[in-house]
Amino acid sequence: MKDSNGIVGNVFQIQRWSVHDGDGVRSTVFLKGCPLRCKWCANPESWKPHPEIFYFRDRCTDCAQCSLVCNHQAISKDEGVPHYFDREKCCCCGDCCEACPNGAKKKIGSLMRVEEVIKILKRDSIFYRESNGGVTFSGGEPFAQTEFLRELVLACKNFAIDTAIETSGYFEWEEAEDIIKELDTVFIDIKHMDERIHKRLTGVSNRKILENVLRISQNHHDVIIRVPLIRGVNDDRNNIEQMCQFLQENTRILGVELLPYHSLGHSKMDALDREGLEIFNTPDAEQVEHIKKIIAKYKIQNIDFK
């Protein structure tokens, strides 16, 4: 996306002091927009490419301060409920969020220029250097904002900042190849090896993802597979062994990182007035250790960032 002053992107969070998204102390830049609709998604606020408003009903005291500042008639009491929020009329200006004294509303997503993001990231550059850390781009799907991502990665490189990316793998290779070559580390998900199950759970086929896993591992020396581990969904021996066979026979990856399921996305879906997530269960510690042994049997390293 461009405006009169250059390329801008939609950022919904910059998380400082992250220690689970690569080596060392890192800042994680979350970009909006994602082509997948995973039934367990932890960041459903990342799905749409434009800004949105969280509305936490349990924090609302019906003080009406938000309705006083809304110039688009998106907030009213005309529908027989104490506080009616019409998202179709909302322009996501964020005025209601600033007016709310209880934090019941929060704007998700802001248009930022590359220079603005880099200015924030450079604040922690000394910690990146001392801990062998850096910046990780996440989402959503970072490659959904290819132009913006490219400029961010190149800017980080100019300041000698280590860069990593967390990707679903669902992107067009031709649009991302040059960016991938500039990155220091690539984290890419494999959610399920069965195409039919993958499509039911995420909304898309896994074919493009597996093809991109192959391409990335052939063009990059530092690739880590991430598995969002869900009990009864993808933690069975057959699925894990299929994945390991695929990786062992076709790729050159550093290893696999297991990410046990959590349900943090449900409260966010409620705050976005959406449905679509399912209730899943987290594998217990014994099952996780069992899966790690299967992976190790294939001479694949188990990676755990702490």
Side-chain angles (χ1 to χ4, degrees):
M1 185 188 310
K2 291 185 179 181
D3 65 9
S4 58
N5 295 310
I7 296 174
V8 295
N10 199 322
V11 179
F12 73 91
Q13 185 181 9
I14 298 178
Q15 179 178 296
R16 302 171 68 191
W17 293 94
S18 175
V19 294
H20 298 290
D21 296 324
D23 290 325
V25 173
R26 310 189 72 83
S27 295
T28 304
V29 180
F30 293 88
L31 304 182
K32 253 181 156 295
C34 185
L36 277 66
R37 294 293 181 267
C38 299
K39 297 293 186 180
W40 57 82
C41 184
N43 294 326
E45 72 274 30
S46 72
W47 288 357
K48 296 184 178 181
H50 53 73
E52 297 177 274
I53 302 293
F54 271 153
Y55 173 35
F56 301 100
R57 288 173 177 76
D58 58 334
R59 302 178 191 174
C60 180
T61 59
D62 194 29
C63 68
Q65 292 301 308
C66 57
S67 63
L68 296 177
V69 300
C70 180
N71 294 319
H72 300 273
Q73 291 76 52
I75 305 169
S76 69
K77 301 180 182 180
D78 298 334
E79 305 296 325
V81 293
H83 180 111
Y84 180 71
F85 180 31
D86 189 337
R87 291 186 178 274
E88 291 187 3
K89 294 180 179 178
C90 178
C91 71
C92 294
C93 64
D95 289 349
C96 60
C97 305
E98 295 182 12
C100 180
N102 305 302
K105 289 193 173 173
K106 180 181 179 182
K107 183 177 178 180
I108 304 298
S110 298
L111 293 180
M112 299 183 70
R113 293 184 179 84
V114 173
E115 296 76 13
E116 295 177 285
V117 177
I118 295 299
K119 183 177 180 180
I120 295 173
L121 299 179
K122 286 175 64 180
R123 295 174 187 170
D124 295 326
S125 59
I126 186 172
F127 302 110
Y128 305 152
R129 290 194 297 271
E130 292 182 354
S131 67
N132 293 317
V135 174
T136 301
F137 300 102
S138 187
E141 172 50 63
F143 286 113
Q145 298 190 51
T146 308
E147 283 188 291
F148 186 57
L149 176 63
R150 180 179 291 107
E151 295 302 317
L152 284 173
V153 171
L154 292 176
C156 285
K157 187 174 183 179
N158 287 338
F159 290 103
I161 298 175
D162 180 277
T163 55
I165 197 166
E166 297 176 327
T167 174
S168 68
Y170 197 84
F171 56 79
E172 298 301 326
W173 174 254
E174 294 75 15
E175 298 176 6
E177 181 179 6
D178 64 314
I179 302 174
I180 290 169
K181 290 180 178 179
E182 299 292 342
L183 293 162
D184 293 291
T185 304
V186 177
F187 295 95
I188 182 168
D189 287 359
I190 292 183
K191 297 176 172 65
H192 208 290
M193 294 300 294
D194 186 291
E195 182 182 8
R196 179 182 56 83
I197 296 175
H198 191 281
K199 190 168 185 178
R200 179 178 67 81
L201 292 172
T202 70
V204 303
S205 165
N206 63 359
R207 290 186 183 181
K208 182 182 292 185
I209 294 169
L210 296 179
E211 288 173 0
N212 283 333
V213 169
L214 295 179
R215 291 184 178 116
I216 292 172
S217 72
Q218 292 165 3
N219 288 270
H220 204 288
H221 65 281
D222 198 341
V223 180
I224 297 171
I225 301 299
R226 278 185 161 174
V227 181
L229 203 60
I230 306 167
R231 192 168 75 187
V233 174
N234 63 352
D235 66 335
D236 59 282
R237 173 180 284 274
N238 181 57
N239 181 63
I240 298 299
E241 289 199 335
Q242 278 192 47
M243 179 190 70
C244 290
Q245 289 170 4
F246 168 79
L247 295 174
Q248 184 187 64
E249 295 171 4
N250 302 287
T251 71
R252 297 174 296 172
I253 62 165
L254 285 184
V256 171
E257 183 183 9
L258 303 176
L259 302 176
Y261 162 79
H262 60 73
S263 60
L264 296 180
H266 287 274
S267 61
K268 296 180 180 181
M269 288 288 274
D270 290 340
L272 291 167
D273 296 317
R274 288 193 207 142
E275 297 178 354
L277 297 190
E278 296 180 11
I279 300 295
F280 296 100
N281 294 306
T282 304
D284 57 31
E286 183 178 351
Q287 176 66 355
V288 173
E289 289 305 312
H290 174 65
I291 292 171
K292 287 183 176 181
K293 289 179 181 178
I294 296 175
I295 294 172
K297 185 182 71 173
Y298 284 86
K299 310 300 182 183
I300 298 173
Q301 181 183 1
N302 283 284
I303 295 177
D304 186 14
F305 292 98
K306 294 182 178 179

